[in-house]
Amino acid sequence: KRGGDDDDDEEEAPKGKTKDKGYPKPAADEEEAPADEAEKPEPSATGGGGKHSEYKVAKVLSAESMKKKKGSLLVELTAGGDNVTVVTSFQNVEEGKLVILAPEGSSVLGKEVKRVKVAGEWTAGVICGPMEMGLPGDASEAIILDSSHEVGSAAPAGGE
């Protein structure tokens, strides 16, 4: 009987190790949960008063095709202050158009916008399309605003 007891103990020990290995998995799930929570307040922020608190109206100063990254444009924008360079895949961005810019430090789809290098060019923001604004529409095109919006002002939450 004692031999049987020892076998049981040995079987329990590996189970204990398995449980230890299992602990990081719930922790990963816990990390994902706050990310979901971070996304939930965003729509309420966009709905308040018709203006988006983080995003700005920006004017396109130039839009050039990138040689290093096909299908992308290197866009220079002004949002009322310093000029901002953004790499985007939206092909309807043209010089003189007004777009919605999520500047560095804001969040798009629950992720913080950071200044990073893309294909050798610095990008310090995100030009928003319907998907980034949580709106229906063509996700392959940026939201183009009409001339009634002031450059540098808070972007309209409805993208109009």
Side-chain angles (χ1 to χ4, degrees):
K1 286 185 181 178
R2 284 188 185 164
D5 289 344
D6 290 342
D7 287 343
D8 288 344
D9 290 343
E10 285 175 19
E11 285 177 22
E12 287 176 20
K15 284 181 189 171
K17 287 180 185 172
T18 307
K19 285 180 187 173
D20 290 343
K21 287 180 187 173
Y23 284 123
K25 285 183 183 176
D29 290 343
E30 289 170 16
E31 287 173 21
E32 289 172 20
D36 292 342
E37 290 169 17
E39 288 178 32
K40 287 176 188 170
E42 198 173 316
S44 63
T46 55
K51 295 286 183 187
H52 196 288
S53 59
E54 292 184 306
Y55 302 169
K56 302 274 182 235
V57 174
K59 185 175 185 176
V60 179
L61 301 176
S62 67
E64 300 170 11
S65 296
M66 294 180 70
K67 291 179 182 134
K68 287 185 178 179
K69 190 168 183 184
K70 290 194 172 157
S72 292
L73 297 174
L74 181 64
V75 183
E76 190 170 348
L77 305 160
T78 182
D82 296 334
N83 290 357
V84 179
T85 304
V86 176
V87 174
T88 185
S89 60
F90 294 127
Q91 295 299 311
N92 65 330
V93 175
E94 298 170 7
E95 190 174 329
K97 300 270 188 187
L98 294 180
V99 297
I100 298 173
L101 172 70
E104 185 179 359
S106 63
S107 60
V108 175
L109 302 175
K111 293 180 181 168
E112 187 181 344
V113 176
K114 295 179 181 170
R115 187 170 182 261
V116 293
K117 244 184 182 177
V118 176
E121 300 289 348
W122 284 104
T123 182
V126 174
I127 294 174
C128 295
M131 190 177 83
E132 289 80 4
M133 297 295 288
L135 300 170
D138 188 348
S140 67
E141 294 192 350
I143 295 173
I144 303 293
L145 301 171
D146 62 41
S147 58
S148 68
H149 298 281
E150 189 179 328
V151 173
S153 65
E160 294 173 359

